[in-house]
Amino acid sequence: MIQKAVENLEKFGATRGGAASRVAAVAARYFGGLVLRPDKEHLERAYSILRSIYNMLRKSNVEVGLLPDEPYSGALLYELGFVEDFASYAAEVYKYFEERGVRRVITVDPHTQYVLERIYPQYVPGFDLDVRSYLEYIDVSRVKVKISGFAIHDSCLYARFLGKYDLVRRILAGGNPVEDPYVTGRETSGCCGGPAESINPQLATKIALGRAKKLAGLSRTVVSACPICLANLSRTGIVEVRDLAEVVEL
């Protein structure tokens, strides 16, 4: 959906303001379901990534339930500064989990992990869910990495704020990733440009191009554990980006 949204924002010049923005806003409200419908191949890839994560959890003896109508975390509302909207939305999401007796949430991306673990407790009174990343359940000793000689692009949230930098490397160590203290360092690696793509796709593209060029200096194949990073860097056409769950198995 991110890919489709950015394509249309760029096509109609909606981020430049004025009449184009107003028309785009109305169109998104009434035709968003059609305009933002992902391509079949992108949907299949997303499902494949989720199936891989689910299978790794099951092989790690983790019993996990799936909620077919689970609401979005609201991460983008917070990241774009709609704090009041986020606060009311987060309260509804927490209520949803409470009513279904959920005590632990296993996340599959850094933005959901960060907003549930670090931000919800600040805005939702009594928030007490145990929030874990699926990465924490992977048995590193059993991991098989299906490719080699790739570069790692770290999610800023995983690497700098959620303490997953070393964990990602332990999981991917069998693939002999190409490292550079500046390009892939914990504090020095660059951003993919997201989620700015939803308000300024031109800026996001510029940042993504710069990041992709630096990664390409290490390897044309890049592995990331964030869907927003995957989407942004893939749009550059400079590197092939794979999700971590696509390249490892137990």
Side-chain angles (χ1 to χ4, degrees):
M1 289 182 71
I2 289 173
Q3 296 277 28
K4 283 293 184 182
V6 173
E7 287 174 14
N8 284 282
L9 283 170
E10 291 177 326
K11 184 185 299 182
F12 298 111
T15 58
R16 291 194 292 269
S21 289
R22 291 192 291 274
V23 171
V26 173
R29 181 174 300 172
Y30 292 102
F31 304 109
L34 295 174
V35 174
L36 301 182
R37 182 175 296 164
D39 295 333
K40 184 178 179 180
E41 63 179 299
H42 289 153
L43 275 176
E44 283 302 317
R45 185 180 184 187
Y47 294 150
S48 176
I49 291 170
L50 288 173
R51 281 194 294 269
S52 175
I53 292 171
Y54 178 78
N55 288 333
M56 283 193 287
L57 287 171
R58 293 304 302 268
K59 288 181 180 180
S60 300
N61 297 317
V62 177
E63 293 188 15
V64 56
L66 303 176
L67 300 173
D69 57 344
E70 177 188 310
Y72 173 56
S73 68
L76 198 58
L77 286 171
Y78 179 79
E79 290 169 351
L80 295 180
F82 298 100
V83 177
E84 292 183 3
D85 293 313
F86 167 77
S88 59
Y89 183 81
E92 289 300 314
V93 174
Y94 181 57
K95 180 181 177 182
Y96 172 94
F97 285 133
E98 268 197 317
E99 290 175 346
R100 286 154 182 80
V102 174
R103 303 308 313 146
R104 172 176 293 173
V105 175
I106 300 176
T107 67
V108 298
D109 73 277
H111 293 265
T112 303
Q113 179 69 31
Y114 182 75
V115 79
L116 287 178
E117 178 185 330
R118 302 291 177 84
I119 307 303
Y120 265 56
Q122 299 178 35
Y123 291 91
V124 180
F127 182 84
D128 60 354
L129 292 182
D130 181 18
V131 184
R132 305 285 184 91
S133 165
Y134 84 93
L135 297 172
E136 299 174 47
Y137 292 97
I138 295 179
D139 184 348
V140 177
S141 66
R142 296 174 56 197
V143 168
K144 296 178 182 177
V145 185
K146 295 183 281 186
I147 62 173
S148 63
F150 51 86
I152 299 173
H153 169 76
D154 288 286
S155 152
C156 297
L157 291 174
Y158 272 159
R160 297 191 180 109
F161 301 101
L162 293 170
K164 300 290 187 291
Y165 180 86
D166 293 327
L167 175 57
V168 167
R169 276 153 183 77
R170 289 199 299 273
I171 293 170
L172 294 173
N176 298 312
V178 182
E179 297 274 26
D180 178 275
Y182 176 70
V183 179
T184 60
R186 187 196 311 267
E187 301 296 338
T188 55
S189 61
C191 177
C192 74
E197 76 278 336
S198 57
I199 54 174
N200 194 331
Q202 291 81 14
L203 175 62
T205 298
K206 183 178 180 180
I207 296 171
L209 282 168
R211 178 60 177 158
K213 289 176 182 176
K214 289 180 180 178
L215 289 166
L218 302 179
S219 174
R220 290 284 178 175
T221 302
V222 173
V223 175
S224 182
C226 173
I228 291 181
C229 294
L230 188 152
N232 266 306
L233 294 176
S234 294
R235 291 177 67 236
T236 68
I238 296 174
V239 289
E240 177 194 7
V241 189
R242 308 286 298 278
D243 189 271
L244 183 146
E246 292 179 297
V247 303
V248 301
E249 60 185 5
L250 298 185

